[in-house]
Amino acid sequence: MARRAKGRSVNGIFLLDKPGGMSSNRALQIVKRIYGAAKAGHTGALDPLATGMLPLCFGEATKFSQFLLNADKRYITTAKLGQRTDTSDADGEVVEERPLPENLSATQIDELLQREFTGLITQVPSMFSALKHNGQPLYKLARQGIQVEVKSRQVTVFSIELLDFRGDEVDLDIRCSKGTYIRSIVQDMGEMLGCGAHVKMLRRLDSGPYKAEAMIPLAELEQRVADMGSDAAVEDIQMSLDALLLPSWSPVADTPEVLLSDSQTRALCNGQRVMLETFDVQPLVRIRDSASDKFLGIGEIDVYGQLLPRRLMNTQDI
């Protein structure tokens, strides 16, 4: 007998403003419990020290979470110069202190950033990252004192702006591709300056199509439920919470859309390929039923005008 999922069917994306001092998984579990959701996942972990944008996918929206994992990001960070820590951030132990270069200026730092940290760059992720080695997260190995070789990777920094320079602290605004480690940028910058550095503050503002102004702090979500009172009907609380969710298709909002007729929708939901009368070859499209205006999933259009399904919503939920 199939096990019945615990929790209710909730579909959509919640943009959490993650508080500092909490793991991404812990934040996910708290919000999942508040929603009473049967299925949920986050899209790209933030370190406990970090705050900001953590999109949480519920139910059918988890099928499209990969597009957020692969999305570009924007961060603001404060780098502490003159101190190197074992984790490259303020949660670690200081392992080395060095004086700052004499007469170091904002202009010198900015020139270094533009020369060395924009465009396609190569970086070595910290041992205190969620990358895995033989199935084990690197940070778990690091906490056991186990060191392994971490392969370098290429990432793209679209822009890096020096916001402020205050003696031994540097504020940066960084727009970058997936997989970019801000701690590595800060650590490498410190080494190039000759004084070392670590991340004192890190906040993610944007992730893919989602912007900072749309985030909801965890405390605000909890207060919303508390304000409704213990006498509020469960259905009213659920309706209030669900109104905060973005649609499951929002991770692919910028992709072309294909509208299907009723017969085409039935064929697609039965796993059949759909022939389109007019088409452009597309590697990724959003699929919508024209009659009900419901999102069906994503697919691709081949050179023959066939719409090939890639990920479809559960037919019971569309």
Side-chain angles (χ1 to χ4, degrees), residues 185-201:
I185 290 178
V186 168
Q187 176 179 279
D188 292 346
M189 177 189 71
E191 292 307 304
M192 290 180 184
L193 289 172
C195 59
H198 69 265
V199 169
K200 181 179 180 180
M201 181 279 294

Side-chain angles (χ1 to χ4, degrees), residues 29 38-39 106 113 117 122 138 140 162 165-166 178 191 228 233 238 242 274 289 297 299 302 307:
Q29 296 307 320
K39 183 179 182 181
L113 294 172
F117 296 100
T122 300
L138 290 180
K140 289 189 176 181
L162 194 157
F165 173 45
R166 301 178 303 280
K178 69 166 186 175
E191 292 307 304
M228 296 191 72
Q238 291 177 347
D242 292 353
V274 174
D289 177 66
D302 69 12
L307 175 61

Side-chain angles (χ1 to χ4, degrees), residues 35-222:
Y35 269 86
K39 183 179 182 181
H42 64 67
T43 57
L46 284 171
D47 296 329
L49 171 130
T51 65
M53 177 71 74
L54 184 66
L56 305 179
C57 298
F58 292 111
E60 291 293 284
T62 59
K63 293 180 176 179
F64 313 103
S65 61
Q66 186 63 40
F67 296 97
L68 296 177
L69 289 170
N70 294 335
D72 299 334
K73 311 291 193 300
R74 180 189 175 198
Y75 299 88
I76 54 173
T77 187
T78 297
K80 174 75 171 178
L81 303 180
Q83 290 183 341
R84 195 167 59 83
T85 70
D86 56 1
T87 60
S88 300
D89 64 20
D91 279 347
E93 298 292 329
V94 175
V95 295
E96 184 181 19
E97 295 192 57
R98 284 180 270 172
L100 274 61
E102 291 187 16
N103 303 317
L104 181 63
S105 68
T107 299
Q108 290 175 302
I109 296 174
D110 187 52
E111 289 177 349
L112 173 67
L113 294 172
Q114 303 312 316
R115 184 177 68 249
E116 301 290 344
F117 296 100
T118 56
L120 189 66
I121 67 171
T122 300
Q123 60 177 202
V124 178
S126 167
M127 272 294 296
F128 285 85
S129 71
L131 290 177
K132 291 185 177 180
H133 176 79
N134 294 333
Q136 282 288 317
L138 290 180
Y139 67 83
K140 289 189 176 181
L141 297 176
R143 287 169 183 164
Q144 298 171 38
I146 301 173
Q147 291 291 320
V148 298
E149 181 181 357
V150 183
K151 294 182 178 180
S152 63
R153 56 167 60 186
Q154 287 192 317
V155 297
T156 301
V157 176
F158 303 109
S159 67
I160 183 165
E161 180 183 357
L162 194 157
L163 300 176
D164 195 18
F165 173 45
R166 301 178 303 280
D168 62 351
E169 292 186 358
V170 180
D171 295 340
L172 304 174
D173 185 330
I174 303 174
R175 298 174 188 267
C176 55
S177 66
K178 69 166 186 175
T180 303
Y181 281 89
I182 305 303
R183 282 183 297 175
S184 295
I185 290 178
V186 168
Q187 176 179 279
D188 292 346
M189 177 189 71
E191 292 307 304
M192 290 180 184
L193 289 172
C195 59
H198 69 265
V199 169
K200 181 179 180 180
M201 181 279 294
L202 179 63
R203 180 167 177 77
R204 186 156 68 197
L205 297 180
D206 302 342
S207 178
Y210 307 131
K211 306 304 177 185
E213 52 269 22
M215 292 188 292
I216 299 175
L218 180 58
E220 182 178 320
L221 178 67
E222 293 174 326

Side-chain angles (χ1 to χ4, degrees), residues 14-26:
F14 183 84
L15 301 183
L16 176 67
D17 185 348
K18 188 188 85 68
M22 180 183 293
S23 72
S24 293
N25 187 60
R26 174 60 178 158

